[in-house]
Every structure is written in structure tokens, then in C-alpha cells.
Amino acid sequence: MASPLKSLVHDDSRYQKSFQLFLERSSEHQCMRDFIHNILPDVLDSIGEGKSHLNVIGVGSGAGEIDLEMLSKLHQKYPGVTVDNEVVEPSSQQLHNYKVLVSETAGLEYVNFTWHKMTSSEFELYLKREKRVKKADFIHMIQMLYYVKDPEATISFFQGLLDKNGKLLIILVSGESGWGKLWRTYRNELCNTEISQCVTTGDIKSFLDSRGIRYQNYTLPSQMDITECFSEGDEKGELLLDFLTEVLDFSKTASPELKAGVMEILRHPDCSVESSGKIIFNNNLEVIVLNQLS
Ligand SMILES: C[S@@+](CC[C@H](N)C(=O)[O-])C[C@H]1O[C@@H](n2cnc3c(N)ncnc32)[C@H](O)[C@@H]1O
């Protein structure tokens, strides 16, 4: 049954506000930075072989903080190489924030940015209409596949854009995270069926395994402090609850039974640990890396 609750994604301003607060209350970006510094250089090992120019595509880049860190690693690895970086991002606010970040960041002379204010499926149509033949060396979609109708078709399309030695990097919450447990329990009530809101890397790996598609994967341990969610009426707690449930004004619009059930599962040991008066939600992520299909 489709959820009668209104999805948070229908209110971009509240979505972006809640995402920002989530970033402040979690180690989401820190665990990605650790991955970028410790593991990404090896992942990018062969993509620049014999090339003086690299094509990069970021899908659902947000404000670009993580994208710029990855570009910087790419530059360290291939210092003489120029980069064409295409950004696919439907939120005008986030695109604006990304452009501001670029204008404030020194040393990006090696990058040419192209901005596409569109969703990933609009970008697919745009490339098809353009009959583009240019291949990509590195494509990333970080915490984005929840917002597409068909994540598997999206992965197949972008994997098809890879050049020889190219890599497609996907990050989503791990199936073993608190999110996975929350969504397995309340999928019918919480998950927006117009998109794939509750997809985890567990689902993506099952799909890839069923097709015999090879991949590498890395778990990124991460946490989120959700203590404020348990202070009734707390403005920030409500914003975080909206992000966790992806429901607009969850506290005000969910039935008392659903609210009680969600609050109970959020602090259940399968989702969270309680320590020093804080409730710490398991926000573990997983990275999946795909090569060009052979
Ligand atoms: C959770 S944020 C992640 C942002 C960034 N990648 C990060 O990790 O900081 C999801 C991003 O995907 C964008 N988005 C939403 N729907 C999308 C779609 N259909 N195609 C591409 N991007 C989308 C949102 O505007 C938002 O910036």
C-alpha cells in the first residue's frame, strides 16, 4: 500500500535543511573523507593511464564538498592531467552552493566545470538527444540512488558510459545499517513508492550478483547522533526525524501508532547504541565500485 504521508523530497527547502543538520549530527562526510584519502587513490589506479585529460561526472553532487575532495585526490594522482567535470544536480540551491564553493577554492585551474541543473534521468535523456559519444573515466553517485525510479537501470546506463579503465562509484547506506533495519520494518509506511527511497547497498549487490556483474565493495563505519529526536517538540529533533523517515513533518502527520513504532525502533539495539546519555544511530555506508562492462 502506498504511504499516505507526504514525502520530504517534495519540499526541497526543508529537505536541504534537514540534510545539512544530518551532516552536522553524523560522521557521514568524515567517513567519506577517510575513504577518499585512504582507499580512493587505489581505486583510481588505472583510470588515467596514458591520458592527458579525464572526464568526470558527478550525479546528485549536492553542494560539492565531497566532489572537490575527490577531484583533489585525482589531481594528486595525475598532476599534469586536465579534468572535465560535469555536475548533474536538480536542486538550484545546491548547485548554487557548489558554484560558491568552487569560487572559494584555490587551485582548481585544472578543472573545467559544466553544470547540469537536472535529475539523472533528465541527464540520460539529454545525452541520448545529444547522441553523445564521449566516454567517462570516473562517474560517482553518492547518496543519490534513493531518488531515482529505477536504480538498476540508472546504474546500467551510467556503467555504459564508462571508458576502458573507467570506474563508477556508488555510495549508499549499508543494508546492515540502522537505516536498513528501519526500512525493512516500516517499508510500507515510510517509503515513497514513486522513487526507490529505501534502497541499500544490499539491494544493489543482489542485483549485481544476479547479473554476474563484478564489483568491489568497502564498508564505511559511520554514526549519527539522534538524541534530539527524543525531546518532544524539539525543532532540530523534528528536522532530523523528517530526514530519518523521509516524511515531511513526520511528528505532526504520522499516526500515534506509527510514531511510537518508529521511535521505538530508532533506539532499538539493532539500530542504535546508547552511550553517555546519547543515542547513536548506525549510519554505516557502503561503497560499490564498478568497472566498464566487458
Ligand atoms: C543526500 S544528498 C547527497 C549530496 C552529496 N552527494 C553528498 O553526499 O554530500 C542527495 C542529492 O541528490 C540530489 N538529487 C535528488 N534527486 C535526484 C535525481 N533524481 N537525480 C540526481 N540527483 C538528485 C539532491 O538534490 C541532493 O543534492
Side-chain angles (χ1 to χ4, degrees):
M1 192 187 72
S3 167
L5 296 166
K6 198 159 178 218
S7 173
L8 179 62
V9 294
H10 291 133
D11 182 338
D12 187 53
S13 157
R14 189 159 169 94
Y15 172 82
Q16 301 300 350
K17 218 166 135 189
S18 68
F19 178 56
Q20 198 48 47
L21 183 60
F22 159 71
L23 290 181
E24 287 166 27
R25 295 290 184 271
S26 70
S27 59
E28 168 97 356
H29 274 180
Q30 190 50 51
C31 76
M32 291 181 192
R33 287 193 179 99
D34 293 343
F35 169 80
I36 291 168
H37 294 296
N38 299 326
I39 299 170
L40 187 68
D42 291 339
V43 170
L44 299 177
D45 227 5
S46 53
I47 72 159
E49 250 167 39
K51 297 201 168 187
S52 58
H53 181 80
L54 291 171
N55 294 318
V56 176
I57 304 176
V59 191
S61 291
E65 304 99 326
I66 296 300
D67 293 30
L68 291 196
E69 301 247 359
M70 291 193 291
L71 285 172
S72 158
K73 271 288 160 221
L74 196 59
H75 185 53
Q76 272 175 27
K77 201 156 176 88
Y78 304 107
V81 165
T82 53
V83 174
D84 192 4
N85 185 54
E86 294 190 76
V87 179
V88 181
E89 170 54 60
S91 161
S92 6
Q93 184 57 52
Q94 291 294 60
L95 261 190
H96 170 77
N97 294 345
Y98 194 153
K99 288 178 188 174
V100 170
L101 185 64
V102 168
S103 71
E104 289 169 349
T105 306
L108 287 173
E109 297 76 19
Y110 63 96
V111 193
N112 174 51
F113 288 90
T114 308
W115 309 100
H116 300 282
K117 189 198 158 320
M118 49 182 90
T119 64
S120 82
S121 53
E122 288 164 350
F123 185 65
E124 275 189 52
L125 283 178
Y126 163 80
L127 294 187
K128 285 175 184 159
R129 243 182 272 127
E130 234 200 357
K131 299 197 171 55
R132 167 150 349 163
V133 285
K134 182 170 109 179
K135 293 289 184 182
D137 301 293
F138 182 43
I139 304 175
H140 51 84
M141 27 186 74
I142 299 183
Q143 294 285 52
M144 182 300 282
L145 282 172
Y146 316 108
Y147 309 105
V148 303
K149 266 204 179 74
D150 186 342
E152 286 138 20
T154 304
I155 291 172
S156 300
F157 175 79
F158 282 96
Q159 192 178 18
L161 291 183
L162 291 177
D163 204 354
K164 183 170 169 275
N165 295 332
K167 302 276 182 187
L168 169 60
L169 181 145
I170 296 163
I171 301 182
L172 287 173
V173 294
S174 151
E176 313 311 315
S177 65
W179 297 94
K181 171 73 182 171
L182 174 67
W183 293 340
R184 279 192 294 279
T185 314
Y186 284 107
R187 182 173 295 272
N188 289 341
E189 293 80 358
L190 297 180
C191 295
N192 177 345
T193 49
E194 291 161 29
I195 49 178
S196 309
Q197 202 130 35
C198 295
V199 69
T200 69
T201 51
D203 304 310
I204 303 298
K205 289 190 292 186
S206 301
F207 157 71
L208 297 171
D209 291 340
S210 73
R211 297 286 169 98
I213 300 174
R214 293 173 59 189
Y215 57 87
Q216 295 91 53
N217 59 312
Y218 310 87
T219 297
L220 312 186
S222 176
Q223 301 181 330
M224 171 186 182
D225 183 348
I226 61 168
T227 316
E228 287 154 303
C229 297
F230 295 88
S231 305
E232 187 80 34
D234 184 289
E235 211 179 299
K236 291 198 164 156
E238 295 202 342
L239 205 49
L240 283 177
L241 257 184
D242 280 16
F243 191 78
L244 281 161
T245 58
E246 296 275 331
V247 169
L248 186 62
D249 295 324
F250 178 78
S251 297
K252 300 190 181 83
T253 57
S255 67
E257 298 74 30
L258 177 59
K259 206 176 144 187
V262 166
M263 299 312 282
E264 189 186 327
I265 198 153
L266 284 178
R267 67 191 311 167
H268 186 278
D270 283 350
C271 289
S272 295
V273 288
E274 301 204 27
S275 135
S276 316
K278 299 250 174 245
I279 302 165
I280 305 296
F281 186 70
N282 178 330
N283 183 53
N284 284 4
L285 309 179
E286 193 170 6
V287 181
I288 295 179
V289 179
L290 299 171
N291 302 322
Q292 187 195 45
L293 267 181
S294 46

